[in-house]
Amino acid sequence: MKSILIASTLVLSLLSLNAYAHSDDEQIAAAESQNGHAAALGKPGIAGNVTKTMNVDMNDTMRFTPATISVKRGETVKFIVRNSGKLKHEMVLGSAKELKEHAAMMAKFPEMEHSDPNQVSVEPGKTGELIWQFGKAGTFDFACLEPGHFEAGMRGNIIVK
Ligand SMILES: [Cu+2]
C-alpha cells in the first residue's frame, strides 16, 4: 500500500513538473507568435502611397465607429480620426497583447506621454491622422489606451484580407 502511495506521489509530481515545463514552452511560443503578429501588422505608411481613406469616430461612450475595419493586404490607409467626445482619446494599432500591456502601463502612469507611429492621440473636438501600411492577412486590433478606456471596451478590429 505504501509503495502505491509513493508511486502515485511520484507520478503526480512528474505530472506537475511536466505541466510546468509545458506552460513555460507555451509562454515562449505565445511570445514568439506575438512578435510575429506585431510585425505582420505592417509599418508606418507614406502619405504619397495612400490608397484608402477611412473616417473613424471616437466618443465618450468609449466606442470607436466603426469598430471593425476591413483593409487589403499591403494597402496604405489614412485614418482620419475624429474625437467627438469631451475627453482625450487615441487610436493605437497593435496586437491585443501589446495593447493590454500598454493599457496597464497607462493606468500606472496616467501622465505618461507616448507618441509612436502606430498611434494618434486626439484632443476633444479635434481630428488627427494616422497613415499605416498593412502587412499580412489576419485580424489585428486597435484600442484607446487613455486610462480606463481600453477596459471600458474602447477597442476594435482590423481585418486584413
Ligand atoms: Cu478613449
Side-chain angles (χ1 to χ4, degrees):
M1 195 62 193
K2 201 178 176 189
S3 64
I4 290 170
L5 192 66
I6 290 166
S8 57
T9 308
L10 188 65
V11 166
L12 276 177
S13 52
L14 280 173
L15 276 175
S16 64
L17 262 179
N18 188 40
Y20 184 73
H22 190 58
S23 83
D24 231 25
D25 280 353
E26 273 177 352
Q27 274 170 16
I28 292 164
E32 278 170 357
S33 87
Q34 213 56 61
N35 285 336
H37 198 235
L41 177 62
K43 58 184 180 185
I46 297 160
N49 294 341
V50 171
T51 52
K52 183 179 189 168
T53 302
M54 285 234 44
N55 291 295
V56 178
D57 184 78
M58 308 187 289
N59 65 53
D60 296 344
T61 63
M62 305 299 165
R63 289 295 178 269
F64 287 99
T65 311
T68 303
I69 294 167
S70 288
V71 303
K72 291 193 197 110
R73 229 177 329 160
E75 191 169 43
T76 300
V77 180
K78 184 204 274 190
F79 294 98
I80 299 175
V81 187
R82 181 172 164 71
N83 181 353
S84 56
K86 292 189 164 56
L87 303 168
K88 191 177 175 183
H89 293 289
E90 60 187 11
M91 182 181 187
V92 186
L93 309 179
S95 68
K97 185 173 179 277
E98 280 168 358
L99 293 170
K100 209 172 170 180
E101 283 168 2
H102 198 155
M105 185 109 104
M106 288 291 283
K108 263 190 211 159
F109 307 103
E111 298 308 316
M112 186 175 77
E113 282 297 324
H114 61 148
S115 141
D116 289 306
N118 66 329
Q119 71 170 83
V120 58
S121 294
V122 189
E123 295 294 331
K126 302 276 195 240
T127 299
E129 281 184 12
L130 174 59
I131 299 174
W132 192 260
Q133 182 179 9
F134 289 91
K136 294 179 183 169
T139 300
F140 303 95
D141 306 275
F142 64 94
C144 174
L145 301 181
E146 285 295 316
H149 295 203
F150 177 83
E151 292 77 4
M154 195 162 182
R155 49 187 115 159
N157 290 123
I158 298 172
I159 301 163
V160 184
K161 287 176 185 163

